[in-house]
mmCIF file with all atom_site columns, all heavy atoms in Angstrom:
data_model
loop_
_atom_site.group_PDB
_atom_site.id
_atom_site.type_symbol
_atom_site.label_atom_id
_atom_site.label_alt_id
_atom_site.label_comp_id
_atom_site.label_asym_id
_atom_site.label_entity_id
_atom_site.label_seq_id
_atom_site.pdbx_PDB_ins_code
_atom_site.Cartn_x
_atom_site.Cartn_y
_atom_site.Cartn_z
_atom_site.occupancy
_atom_site.B_iso_or_equiv
_atom_site.pdbx_formal_charge
_atom_site.auth_seq_id
_atom_site.auth_comp_id
_atom_site.auth_asym_id
_atom_site.auth_atom_id
_atom_site.pdbx_PDB_model_num
ATOM 1   N N   . ASP A 1 189 ? -67.722 7.542  -6.830 1.00 0.00 ? 214 ASP A N   1
ATOM 2   C CA  . ASP A 1 189 ? -68.284 7.378  -8.155 1.00 0.00 ? 214 ASP A CA  1
ATOM 3   C C   . ASP A 1 189 ? -69.527 6.521  -8.145 1.00 0.00 ? 214 ASP A C   1
ATOM 4   O O   . ASP A 1 189 ? -70.169 6.303  -9.182 1.00 0.00 ? 214 ASP A O   1
ATOM 5   C CB  . ASP A 1 189 ? -67.262 6.756  -9.109 1.00 0.00 ? 214 ASP A CB  1
ATOM 6   C CG  . ASP A 1 189 ? -66.766 5.421  -8.610 1.00 0.00 ? 214 ASP A CG  1
ATOM 7   O OD1 . ASP A 1 189 ? -67.068 5.061  -7.478 1.00 0.00 ? 214 ASP A OD1 1
ATOM 8   O OD2 . ASP A 1 189 ? -66.089 4.720  -9.396 1.00 0.00 ? 214 ASP A OD2 1
ATOM 9   N N   . ILE A 1 190 ? -69.942 6.034  -6.983 1.00 0.00 ? 215 ILE A N   1
ATOM 10  C CA  . ILE A 1 190 ? -71.147 5.239  -6.865 1.00 0.00 ? 215 ILE A CA  1
ATOM 11  C C   . ILE A 1 190 ? -72.353 6.183  -6.733 1.00 0.00 ? 215 ILE A C   1
ATOM 12  O O   . ILE A 1 190 ? -72.308 7.172  -6.004 1.00 0.00 ? 215 ILE A O   1
ATOM 13  C CB  . ILE A 1 190 ? -71.085 4.276  -5.657 1.00 0.00 ? 215 ILE A CB  1
ATOM 14  C CG1 . ILE A 1 190 ? -69.879 3.361  -5.769 1.00 0.00 ? 215 ILE A CG1 1
ATOM 15  C CG2 . ILE A 1 190 ? -72.374 3.463  -5.516 1.00 0.00 ? 215 ILE A CG2 1
ATOM 16  C CD1 . ILE A 1 190 ? -69.665 2.465  -4.580 1.00 0.00 ? 215 ILE A CD1 1
ATOM 17  N N   . SER A 1 191 ? -73.427 5.885  -7.427 1.00 0.00 ? 216 SER A N   1
ATOM 18  C CA  . SER A 1 191 ? -74.622 6.728  -7.379 1.00 0.00 ? 216 SER A CA  1
ATOM 19  C C   . SER A 1 191 ? -75.173 6.800  -5.966 1.00 0.00 ? 216 SER A C   1
ATOM 20  O O   . SER A 1 191 ? -75.459 5.776  -5.330 1.00 0.00 ? 216 SER A O   1
ATOM 21  C CB  . SER A 1 191 ? -75.692 6.168  -8.337 1.00 0.00 ? 216 SER A CB  1
ATOM 22  O OG  . SER A 1 191 ? -76.859 6.940  -8.246 1.00 0.00 ? 216 SER A OG  1
ATOM 23  N N   . GLY A 1 192 ? -75.299 8.015  -5.459 1.00 0.00 ? 217 GLY A N   1
ATOM 24  C CA  . GLY A 1 192 ? -75.805 8.204  -4.092 1.00 0.00 ? 217 GLY A CA  1
ATOM 25  C C   . GLY A 1 192 ? -74.806 7.864  -3.005 1.00 0.00 ? 217 GLY A C   1
ATOM 26  O O   . GLY A 1 192 ? -75.195 7.781  -1.848 1.00 0.00 ? 217 GLY A O   1
ATOM 27  N N   . GLY A 1 193 ? -73.549 7.671  -3.374 1.00 0.00 ? 218 GLY A N   1
ATOM 28  C CA  . GLY A 1 193 ? -72.554 7.267  -2.371 1.00 0.00 ? 218 GLY A CA  1
ATOM 29  C C   . GLY A 1 193 ? -71.847 8.401  -1.688 1.00 0.00 ? 218 GLY A C   1
ATOM 30  O O   . GLY A 1 193 ? -71.103 8.160  -0.748 1.00 0.00 ? 218 GLY A O   1
ATOM 31  N N   . ILE A 1 194 ? -72.082 9.652  -2.124 1.00 0.00 ? 219 ILE A N   1
ATOM 32  C CA  . ILE A 1 194 ? -71.347 10.766 -1.553 1.00 0.00 ? 219 ILE A CA  1
ATOM 33  C C   . ILE A 1 194 ? -71.792 11.026 -0.113 1.00 0.00 ? 219 ILE A C   1
ATOM 34  O O   . ILE A 1 194 ? -70.952 11.172 0.794  1.00 0.00 ? 219 ILE A O   1
ATOM 35  C CB  . ILE A 1 194 ? -71.550 12.044 -2.423 1.00 0.00 ? 219 ILE A CB  1
ATOM 36  C CG1 . ILE A 1 194 ? -70.903 11.845 -3.794 1.00 0.00 ? 219 ILE A CG1 1
ATOM 37  C CG2 . ILE A 1 194 ? -70.948 13.245 -1.721 1.00 0.00 ? 219 ILE A CG2 1
ATOM 38  C CD1 . ILE A 1 194 ? -71.087 13.045 -4.713 1.00 0.00 ? 219 ILE A CD1 1
ATOM 39  N N   . ASP A 1 195 ? -73.096 11.089 0.132  1.00 0.00 ? 220 ASP A N   1
ATOM 40  C CA  . ASP A 1 195 ? -73.585 11.358 1.503  1.00 0.00 ? 220 ASP A CA  1
ATOM 41  C C   . ASP A 1 195 ? -73.151 10.250 2.457  1.00 0.00 ? 220 ASP A C   1
ATOM 42  O O   . ASP A 1 195 ? -72.738 10.540 3.600  1.00 0.00 ? 220 ASP A O   1
ATOM 43  C CB  . ASP A 1 195 ? -75.087 11.496 1.490  1.00 0.00 ? 220 ASP A CB  1
ATOM 44  C CG  . ASP A 1 195 ? -75.576 12.725 0.717  1.00 0.00 ? 220 ASP A CG  1
ATOM 45  O OD1 . ASP A 1 195 ? -74.749 13.654 0.551  1.00 0.00 ? 220 ASP A OD1 1
ATOM 46  O OD2 . ASP A 1 195 ? -76.744 12.750 0.290  1.00 0.00 ? 220 ASP A OD2 1
ATOM 47  N N   . ALA A 1 196 ? -73.291 8.997  2.029  1.00 0.00 ? 221 ALA A N   1
ATOM 48  C CA  . ALA A 1 196 ? -72.901 7.890  2.891  1.00 0.00 ? 221 ALA A CA  1
ATOM 49  C C   . ALA A 1 196 ? -71.404 7.918  3.166  1.00 0.00 ? 221 ALA A C   1
ATOM 50  O O   . ALA A 1 196 ? -70.964 7.624  4.286  1.00 0.00 ? 221 ALA A O   1
ATOM 51  C CB  . ALA A 1 196 ? -73.302 6.564  2.256  1.00 0.00 ? 221 ALA A CB  1
ATOM 52  N N   . ALA A 1 197 ? -70.620 8.255  2.150  1.00 0.00 ? 222 ALA A N   1
ATOM 53  C CA  . ALA A 1 197 ? -69.155 8.283  2.314  1.00 0.00 ? 222 ALA A CA  1
ATOM 54  C C   . ALA A 1 197 ? -68.766 9.385  3.299  1.00 0.00 ? 222 ALA A C   1
ATOM 55  O O   . ALA A 1 197 ? -67.924 9.178  4.179  1.00 0.00 ? 222 ALA A O   1
ATOM 56  C CB  . ALA A 1 197 ? -68.486 8.495  0.980  1.00 0.00 ? 222 ALA A CB  1
ATOM 57  N N   . LEU A 1 198 ? -69.397 10.560 3.171  1.00 0.00 ? 223 LEU A N   1
ATOM 58  C CA  . LEU A 1 198 ? -69.080 11.668 4.075  1.00 0.00 ? 223 LEU A CA  1
ATOM 59  C C   . LEU A 1 198 ? -69.457 11.333 5.515  1.00 0.00 ? 223 LEU A C   1
ATOM 60  O O   . LEU A 1 198 ? -68.685 11.584 6.444  1.00 0.00 ? 223 LEU A O   1
ATOM 61  C CB  . LEU A 1 198 ? -69.796 12.930 3.617  1.00 0.00 ? 223 LEU A CB  1
ATOM 62  C CG  . LEU A 1 198 ? -69.175 13.713 2.459  1.00 0.00 ? 223 LEU A CG  1
ATOM 63  C CD1 . LEU A 1 198 ? -70.047 14.888 2.090  1.00 0.00 ? 223 LEU A CD1 1
ATOM 64  C CD2 . LEU A 1 198 ? -67.778 14.185 2.824  1.00 0.00 ? 223 LEU A CD2 1
ATOM 65  N N   . LEU A 1 199 ? -70.654 10.789 5.717  1.00 0.00 ? 224 LEU A N   1
ATOM 66  C CA  . LEU A 1 199 ? -71.094 10.465 7.067  1.00 0.00 ? 224 LEU A CA  1
ATOM 67  C C   . LEU A 1 199 ? -70.182 9.419  7.704  1.00 0.00 ? 224 LEU A C   1
ATOM 68  O O   . LEU A 1 199 ? -69.759 9.571  8.855  1.00 0.00 ? 224 LEU A O   1
ATOM 69  C CB  . LEU A 1 199 ? -72.538 9.970  7.033  1.00 0.00 ? 224 LEU A CB  1
ATOM 70  C CG  . LEU A 1 199 ? -73.160 9.607  8.374  1.00 0.00 ? 224 LEU A CG  1
ATOM 71  C CD1 . LEU A 1 199 ? -73.171 10.808 9.309  1.00 0.00 ? 224 LEU A CD1 1
ATOM 72  C CD2 . LEU A 1 199 ? -74.562 9.062  8.208  1.00 0.00 ? 224 LEU A CD2 1
ATOM 73  N N   . GLY A 1 200 ? -69.890 8.376  6.964  1.00 0.00 ? 225 GLY A N   1
ATOM 74  C CA  . GLY A 1 200 ? -69.035 7.319  7.516  1.00 0.00 ? 225 GLY A CA  1
ATOM 75  C C   . GLY A 1 200 ? -67.639 7.816  7.824  1.00 0.00 ? 225 GLY A C   1
ATOM 76  O O   . GLY A 1 200 ? -67.052 7.449  8.851  1.00 0.00 ? 225 GLY A O   1
ATOM 77  N N   . PHE A 1 201 ? -67.086 8.668  6.954  1.00 0.00 ? 226 PHE A N   1
ATOM 78  C CA  . PHE A 1 201 ? -65.721 9.151  7.177  1.00 0.00 ? 226 PHE A CA  1
ATOM 79  C C   . PHE A 1 201 ? -65.675 10.076 8.385  1.00 0.00 ? 226 PHE A C   1
ATOM 80  O O   . PHE A 1 201 ? -64.736 10.004 9.185  1.00 0.00 ? 226 PHE A O   1
ATOM 81  C CB  . PHE A 1 201 ? -65.201 9.840  5.929  1.00 0.00 ? 226 PHE A CB  1
ATOM 82  C CG  . PHE A 1 201 ? -63.816 10.369 6.080  1.00 0.00 ? 226 PHE A CG  1
ATOM 83  C CD1 . PHE A 1 201 ? -62.739 9.525  6.068  1.00 0.00 ? 226 PHE A CD1 1
ATOM 84  C CD2 . PHE A 1 201 ? -63.589 11.735 6.280  1.00 0.00 ? 226 PHE A CD2 1
ATOM 85  C CE1 . PHE A 1 201 ? -61.437 10.001 6.234  1.00 0.00 ? 226 PHE A CE1 1
ATOM 86  C CE2 . PHE A 1 201 ? -62.293 12.223 6.441  1.00 0.00 ? 226 PHE A CE2 1
ATOM 87  C CZ  . PHE A 1 201 ? -61.232 11.354 6.415  1.00 0.00 ? 226 PHE A CZ  1
ATOM 88  N N   . GLN A 1 202 ? -66.631 10.960 8.493  1.00 0.00 ? 227 GLN A N   1
ATOM 89  C CA  . GLN A 1 202 ? -66.627 11.905 9.633  1.00 0.00 ? 227 GLN A CA  1
ATOM 90  C C   . GLN A 1 202 ? -66.737 11.147 10.953 1.00 0.00 ? 227 GLN A C   1
ATOM 91  O O   . GLN A 1 202 ? -66.077 11.503 11.942 1.00 0.00 ? 227 GLN A O   1
ATOM 92  C CB  . GLN A 1 202 ? -67.789 12.902 9.484  1.00 0.00 ? 227 GLN A CB  1
ATOM 93  C CG  . GLN A 1 202 ? -67.576 13.916 8.365  1.00 0.00 ? 227 GLN A CG  1
ATOM 94  C CD  . GLN A 1 202 ? -68.770 14.828 8.187  1.00 0.00 ? 227 GLN A CD  1
ATOM 95  O OE1 . GLN A 1 202 ? -68.763 15.971 8.633  1.00 0.00 ? 227 GLN A OE1 1
ATOM 96  N NE2 . GLN A 1 202 ? -69.820 14.300 7.565  1.00 0.00 ? 227 GLN A NE2 1
ATOM 97  N N   . TRP A 1 203 ? -67.582 10.121 11.005 1.00 0.00 ? 228 TRP A N   1
ATOM 98  C CA  . TRP A 1 203 ? -67.732 9.347  12.245 1.00 0.00 ? 228 TRP A CA  1
ATOM 99  C C   . TRP A 1 203 ? -66.442 8.615  12.577 1.00 0.00 ? 228 TRP A C   1
ATOM 100 O O   . TRP A 1 203 ? -66.044 8.559  13.743 1.00 0.00 ? 228 TRP A O   1
ATOM 101 C CB  . TRP A 1 203 ? -68.908 8.383  12.105 1.00 0.00 ? 228 TRP A CB  1
ATOM 102 C CG  . TRP A 1 203 ? -69.352 7.853  13.425 1.00 0.00 ? 228 TRP A CG  1
ATOM 103 C CD1 . TRP A 1 203 ? -68.978 6.684  13.987 1.00 0.00 ? 228 TRP A CD1 1
ATOM 104 C CD2 . TRP A 1 203 ? -70.241 8.489  14.334 1.00 0.00 ? 228 TRP A CD2 1
ATOM 105 N NE1 . TRP A 1 203 ? -69.582 6.518  15.221 1.00 0.00 ? 228 TRP A NE1 1
ATOM 106 C CE2 . TRP A 1 203 ? -70.352 7.629  15.463 1.00 0.00 ? 228 TRP A CE2 1
ATOM 107 C CE3 . TRP A 1 203 ? -70.941 9.683  14.331 1.00 0.00 ? 228 TRP A CE3 1
ATOM 108 C CZ2 . TRP A 1 203 ? -71.150 7.929  16.555 1.00 0.00 ? 228 TRP A CZ2 1
ATOM 109 C CZ3 . TRP A 1 203 ? -71.735 10.007 15.407 1.00 0.00 ? 228 TRP A CZ3 1
ATOM 110 C CH2 . TRP A 1 203 ? -71.834 9.147  16.501 1.00 0.00 ? 228 TRP A CH2 1
ATOM 111 N N   . MET A 1 204 ? -65.818 8.027  11.574 1.00 0.00 ? 229 MET A N   1
ATOM 112 C CA  . MET A 1 204 ? -64.536 7.335  11.778 1.00 0.00 ? 229 MET A CA  1
ATOM 113 C C   . MET A 1 204 ? -63.477 8.291  12.289 1.00 0.00 ? 229 MET A C   1
ATOM 114 O O   . MET A 1 204 ? -62.727 7.977  13.235 1.00 0.00 ? 229 MET A O   1
ATOM 115 C CB  . MET A 1 204 ? -64.085 6.701  10.480 1.00 0.00 ? 229 MET A CB  1
ATOM 116 C CG  . MET A 1 204 ? -62.614 6.314  10.407 1.00 0.00 ? 229 MET A CG  1
ATOM 117 S SD  . MET A 1 204 ? -62.148 4.951  11.494 1.00 0.00 ? 229 MET A SD  1
ATOM 118 C CE  . MET A 1 204 ? -62.846 3.588  10.574 1.00 0.00 ? 229 MET A CE  1
ATOM 119 N N   . LEU A 1 205 ? -63.418 9.506  11.730 1.00 0.00 ? 230 LEU A N   1
ATOM 120 C CA  . LEU A 1 205 ? -62.411 10.463 12.128 1.00 0.00 ? 230 LEU A CA  1
ATOM 121 C C   . LEU A 1 205 ? -62.655 10.950 13.563 1.00 0.00 ? 230 LEU A C   1
ATOM 122 O O   . LEU A 1 205 ? -61.705 11.099 14.342 1.00 0.00 ? 230 LEU A O   1
ATOM 123 C CB  . LEU A 1 205 ? -62.418 11.660 11.162 1.00 0.00 ? 230 LEU A CB  1
ATOM 124 C CG  . LEU A 1 205 ? -61.286 12.672 11.311 1.00 0.00 ? 230 LEU A CG  1
ATOM 125 C CD1 . LEU A 1 205 ? -59.937 11.999 11.152 1.00 0.00 ? 230 LEU A CD1 1
ATOM 126 C CD2 . LEU A 1 205 ? -61.449 13.807 10.300 1.00 0.00 ? 230 LEU A CD2 1
ATOM 127 N N   . LEU A 1 206 ? -63.912 11.174 13.929 1.00 0.00 ? 231 LEU A N   1
ATOM 128 C CA  . LEU A 1 206 ? -64.227 11.575 15.297 1.00 0.00 ? 231 LEU A CA  1
ATOM 129 C C   . LEU A 1 206 ? -63.807 10.493 16.291 1.00 0.00 ? 231 LEU A C   1
ATOM 130 O O   . LEU A 1 206 ? -63.264 10.780 17.360 1.00 0.00 ? 231 LEU A O   1
ATOM 131 C CB  . LEU A 1 206 ? -65.713 11.882 15.425 1.00 0.00 ? 231 LEU A CB  1
ATOM 132 C CG  . LEU A 1 206 ? -66.216 13.162 14.771 1.00 0.00 ? 231 LEU A CG  1
ATOM 133 C CD1 . LEU A 1 206 ? -67.728 13.218 14.839 1.00 0.00 ? 231 LEU A CD1 1
ATOM 134 C CD2 . LEU A 1 206 ? -65.611 14.391 15.453 1.00 0.00 ? 231 LEU A CD2 1
ATOM 135 N N   . ARG A 1 207 ? -64.086 9.238  15.967 1.00 0.00 ? 232 ARG A N   1
ATOM 136 C CA  . ARG A 1 207 ? -63.736 8.142  16.867 1.00 0.00 ? 232 ARG A CA  1
ATOM 137 C C   . ARG A 1 207 ? -62.229 8.005  17.018 1.00 0.00 ? 232 ARG A C   1
ATOM 138 O O   . ARG A 1 207 ? -61.715 7.823  18.115 1.00 0.00 ? 232 ARG A O   1
ATOM 139 C CB  . ARG A 1 207 ? -64.354 6.844  16.355 1.00 0.00 ? 232 ARG A CB  1
ATOM 140 C CG  . ARG A 1 207 ? -64.068 5.649  17.282 1.00 0.00 ? 232 ARG A CG  1
ATOM 141 C CD  . ARG A 1 207 ? -64.865 4.426  16.929 1.00 0.00 ? 232 ARG A CD  1
ATOM 142 N NE  . ARG A 1 207 ? -64.477 3.886  15.619 1.00 0.00 ? 232 ARG A NE  1
ATOM 143 C CZ  . ARG A 1 207 ? -65.238 3.899  14.549 1.00 0.00 ? 232 ARG A CZ  1
ATOM 144 N NH1 . ARG A 1 207 ? -66.440 4.443  14.599 1.00 0.00 ? 232 ARG A NH1 1
ATOM 145 N NH2 . ARG A 1 207 ? -64.832 3.377  13.411 1.00 0.00 ? 232 ARG A NH2 1
ATOM 146 N N   . GLU A 1 208 ? -61.484 8.081  15.911 1.00 0.00 ? 233 GLU A N   1
ATOM 147 C CA  . GLU A 1 208 ? -60.030 7.899  15.962 1.00 0.00 ? 233 GLU A CA  1
ATOM 148 C C   . GLU A 1 208 ? -59.346 9.055  16.690 1.00 0.00 ? 233 GLU A C   1
ATOM 149 O O   . GLU A 1 208 ? -58.309 8.846  17.329 1.00 0.00 ? 233 GLU A O   1
ATOM 150 C CB  . GLU A 1 208 ? -59.489 7.791  14.542 1.00 0.00 ? 233 GLU A CB  1
ATOM 151 C CG  . GLU A 1 208 ? -59.710 6.463  13.893 1.00 0.00 ? 233 GLU A CG  1
ATOM 152 C CD  . GLU A 1 208 ? -58.867 5.359  14.500 1.00 0.00 ? 233 GLU A CD  1
ATOM 153 O OE1 . GLU A 1 208 ? -57.690 5.617  14.812 1.00 0.00 ? 233 GLU A OE1 1
ATOM 154 O OE2 . GLU A 1 208 ? -59.389 4.250  14.695 1.00 0.00 ? 233 GLU A OE2 1
#
Side-chain angles (χ1 to χ4, degrees):
D214 59 349
I215 302 175
S216 177
I219 295 179
D220 293 339
L223 280 177
L224 181 60
F226 180 75
Q227 290 177 102
W228 195 264
M229 162 69 75
L230 189 58
L231 287 173
R232 182 170 66 248
E233 283 290 319

